[in-house]
Amino acid sequence: MSIQSITHVEYHCADADATAAGFCADYGFTSIPPEPGHLATTESQGARTLLLRQGGIRFLLRSATDPAHPVARYVDRHGEGVAALALGCTDPQAALERAERHGARVLDRAGGLVAGFGDTSLRFVAEQPAADHDEPAGRLLDALDHAAICVPAGELAPAVRFCEAALGMHRIFGEYIEVGEQAMDSSVVQSVSGEVTFTLIEPDTSRRPGQIDTFLADHEGAGVQHLAFRTGDIATAVRTVRGRGVEFLTTPGTYYDALAERLGGTAIPVDTLRELDILVDQDHGGQLFQLFARSTHPRRTFFLELIERQGAGTFGTANIKALYEAVERQRAAASV
């Protein structure tokens, strides 16, 4: 029953066609016909569904054509966002039964859907080889690296236990981050396959409210804060999508001034990292490079990340703090 991958992301939006056009124009996704038996082939009446692909990433975009449809209710409450993560399993039925034994609430038994984090559900599906679709030359993105999920204060430890017991994942990393008078706690859980990774985050409500508190208030509960797309060449990916109009969060020059002392050498030249605002960190396996797109979501409750891993399997603590600070600068600027 083990979980092998995230086969697709179910993203609910106000206009699937417009959202698809943005993903295709900005990040190079292509619209593909759904594979046999895919959820997109059995869409319910009252919703528009499109399937996008790039590398191993699949986005199932859904928008309501009927205002009474569940997609419309989701968007009305949360704004556009990730409504479900589909987990490819060797035995979906056994995976659902295990999750149910460990307290997961079944939402749609036939569809393999259980409650996950707030209104972000988990769907157990069969792990199948990807269909062969032609992609345009110069593909930028390879896979979905991880999903970052915000949960209310006090729910981080139960969420980790749920992932371990119900999903068979294990905790690989954790960090408590303080930025000024704000703080948050995080844990990273991962499937045995190594292909499904959730970064779980909760605010420290004993400190001054910050961006995680703001997310939970504006999103009206737990949910996916960002998705990270893995690339084999982050410098090229950033230059390409920036040229298409995508804006990224900036990094102070002092961050790069301290890199030599903190890390020694970097696999990508520091001048390139500085030019493109790319963050770099390392763990026992190697280095990782990250950059976070500026949120264009009306509620600022969802954004995207680009990440390149050169051996690193976890997350560096300096990058988590740098991300927090970058998002906080954007939040502060938006409130002026």
Side-chain angles (χ1 to χ4, degrees):
M1 57 73 63
S2 63
I3 294 170
Q4 300 298 309
S5 67
I6 296 179
T7 64
H8 67 271
V9 174
E10 298 175 29
Y11 189 88
H12 288 182
C13 51
D15 185 334
D17 291 283
T19 301
F23 273 110
C24 294
D26 293 344
Y27 290 94
F29 282 85
T30 56
S31 181
I32 62 170
E35 290 88 353
H38 195 282
L39 183 67
T41 66
T42 58
E43 67 170 305
S44 60
Q45 187 176 4
R48 169 78 166 146
T49 304
L50 296 173
L51 184 61
L52 305 182
R53 180 205 181 202
Q54 185 171 180
I57 309 166
R58 285 175 176 75
F59 265 91
L60 187 68
L61 306 177
R62 306 189 77 192
S63 59
T65 57
D66 178 350
H69 194 278
V71 171
R73 293 197 295 270
Y74 178 96
V75 173
D76 182 62
R77 179 179 180 186
H78 301 292
E80 300 186 357
V82 176
L85 296 165
L87 306 177
C89 308
T90 53
D91 187 338
Q93 181 61 34
L96 185 145
E97 291 172 357
R98 171 177 176 159
E100 187 175 18
R101 286 197 307 271
H102 291 281
R105 179 166 55 92
V106 177
L107 303 175
D108 176 3
R109 193 172 299 276
L113 193 69
V114 303
F117 311 96
D119 285 342
T120 299
S121 307
L122 302 172
R123 188 184 299 277
F124 300 110
V125 300
E127 173 72 4
Q128 297 178 345
D132 186 18
H133 296 288
D134 290 334
E135 290 190 87
R139 189 183 84 195
L140 297 176
L141 309 175
D142 299 326
L144 181 60
D145 186 86
H146 65 272
I149 302 167
C150 296
V151 300
E155 294 187 15
L156 177 61
V160 171
R161 290 195 295 269
F162 170 80
C163 291
E164 292 173 333
L167 306 180
M169 303 175 82
H170 57 284
R171 184 177 182 272
I172 63 167
F173 187 80
E175 184 70 14
Y176 180 80
I177 298 295
E178 297 180 82
V179 177
E181 298 177 4
Q182 303 173 19
M184 70 173 194
D185 202 0
S186 67
S187 288
V188 179
V189 294
Q190 191 173 78
S191 63
V192 174
S193 70
E195 295 301 316
V196 180
T197 304
F198 298 154
T199 300
L200 304 169
I201 309 163
E202 72 172 0
D204 182 345
T205 52
S206 70
R207 310 290 291 271
R208 185 168 66 83
Q211 64 188 254
I212 308 304
D213 307 85
T214 299
F215 172 93
L216 294 167
D218 293 347
H219 185 266
E220 294 196 26
V224 174
Q225 180 209 44
H226 73 264
L227 295 173
F229 297 146
R230 190 160 64 243
T231 175
D233 184 348
I234 193 170
T236 296
V238 170
R239 287 193 175 102
T240 301
V241 301
R242 183 174 280 168
R244 296 169 179 169
V246 175
E247 296 182 357
F248 291 93
L249 301 183
T250 59
T251 304
T254 52
Y255 174 90
Y256 300 99
D257 296 339
L259 281 183
E261 180 179 351
R262 180 164 67 87
L263 299 178
T266 57
I268 298 175
V270 173
D271 287 347
T272 300
L273 302 177
R274 187 190 298 268
E275 172 202 348
L276 299 174
D277 290 304
I278 295 171
L279 306 175
V280 56
D281 216 326
Q282 63 188 22
D283 65 7
H284 59 281
Q287 294 185 337
L288 71 155
F289 303 86
Q290 298 170 274
L291 187 58
F292 306 90
R294 188 176 300 276
S295 178
T296 59
H297 194 287
R299 304 189 190 189
R300 298 291 190 268
T301 52
F302 182 76
F303 59 93
L304 298 171
E305 170 189 345
L306 300 181
I307 182 169
E308 178 184 344
R309 294 184 180 275
Q310 296 197 18
T314 60
F315 299 88
T317 59
N319 275 12
I320 295 176
K321 184 174 182 179
L323 164 62
Y324 191 101
E325 291 172 335
V327 174
E328 190 60 27
R329 288 193 295 272
Q330 182 192 17
R331 189 172 74 98
S335 65
V336 174

